[in-house]
Amino acid sequence: MRVRNLAFAALAVTAALSLTACQNDETDTAQGAPTTAPTASTGTIPTGGPASKGPATNGPATSKPGKTGTPPTAAPADSGTAGKTAKCRTADLTITAADRTITGDPDNTVVVELKNHSGKDCTLSGYAGVDLKTPSGALSADRSGQPVGTSVLAPGKSTYFGISYPPNNTGGSGLRITGLVVTPPDETQPVTLPWPGAGSLPATDTNGSPVKIGPMGSAGQGQ
């Protein structure tokens, strides 16, 4: 009986030792494992790649500057007319006429002078209106078709244009001329002058006027 108890005790001791050894093996295995889980690699941004969207770490964040350019300046409301010289009005001008017929020319010539007495610059451009007064009524002159220019008249300065008409060589009385009416370009107020040329035009049945005028500046003082 004693022998069986000793044998049983020996088996119990052996089993206990075996169980302890198994527990030690499990404990060693657990102690050899890492204490923290591995983390993923963050890498580095390649040169030229997109910048980080996170906040700056070396100073306070600053707001993006706005546009600093100077806004365009608006053009003056009346820039289209600023600096232009006013047109000469009839009241600004002294208008005279003189005979400037040159012997041997096929036509007679009267030159009209327009002198600026306004005390300020003014301009004349284009053709004047010209009518010859006759007992039968006004005879309007036709334009010669010469190119038009612009004359800028300083105070006391003049410009000229010519009136050409055929001489009356018919031997008859023809059409008598009693006066000259001149209206400056772009004006409605005329000036009536004595007629300085030949006393009559040849009578004609042709259409159109035998009297022709040139534009401003088409004649000179001595012409």
Side-chain angles (χ1 to χ4, degrees):
M1 185 68 178
R2 183 177 179 82
V3 173
R4 289 179 63 184
N5 289 337
L6 289 174
F8 181 79
L11 289 172
V13 170
T14 300
L17 291 173
S18 177
L19 179 61
T20 302
C22 290
Q23 291 174 346
N24 287 339
D25 288 342
E26 293 174 359
T27 302
D28 291 343
T29 301
Q31 290 175 350
T35 58
T36 58
T39 57
S41 173
T42 58
T44 57
I45 299 175
T47 303
S52 171
K53 295 182 180 179
T57 57
N58 58 350
T62 57
S63 60
K64 185 177 180 180
K67 294 182 179 180
T68 58
T70 303
T73 303
D78 57 348
S79 60
T81 58
K84 288 186 177 180
T85 304
K87 294 179 180 179
C88 299
R89 315 316 302 181
T90 302
D92 299 330
L93 302 169
T94 299
I95 302 176
T96 56
D99 183 13
R100 292 289 183 266
T101 299
I102 298 175
T103 302
D105 281 357
D107 288 332
N108 293 342
T109 301
V110 167
V111 171
V112 178
E113 176 184 2
L114 300 94
K115 184 176 182 179
N116 178 13
H117 62 237
S118 69
K120 58 185 179 182
D121 291 357
C122 65
T123 63
L124 284 172
S125 179
Y127 286 83
V130 171
D131 293 314
L132 303 187
K133 297 175 69 175
T134 75
S136 301
L139 175 65
S140 296
D142 287 341
R143 297 178 178 183
S144 65
Q146 292 173 257
V148 171
T150 298
S151 299
V152 179
L153 300 185
K157 298 300 181 181
S158 300
T159 189
Y160 305 83
F161 71 90
I163 303 172
S164 63
Y165 60 99
N168 182 13
N169 297 325
T170 63
S173 61
L175 183 62
R176 189 164 59 92
I177 304 172
T178 60
L180 171 65
V181 180
V182 176
T183 306
D186 303 310
E187 260 285 24
T188 58
Q189 182 64 43
V191 173
T192 300
L193 306 171
W195 173 247
S200 65
L201 296 172
T204 178
D205 295 329
T206 59
N207 294 328
S209 173
V211 182
K212 307 294 181 184
I213 60 171
M216 294 294 113
S218 60
Q221 186 176 6
Q223 193 171 9

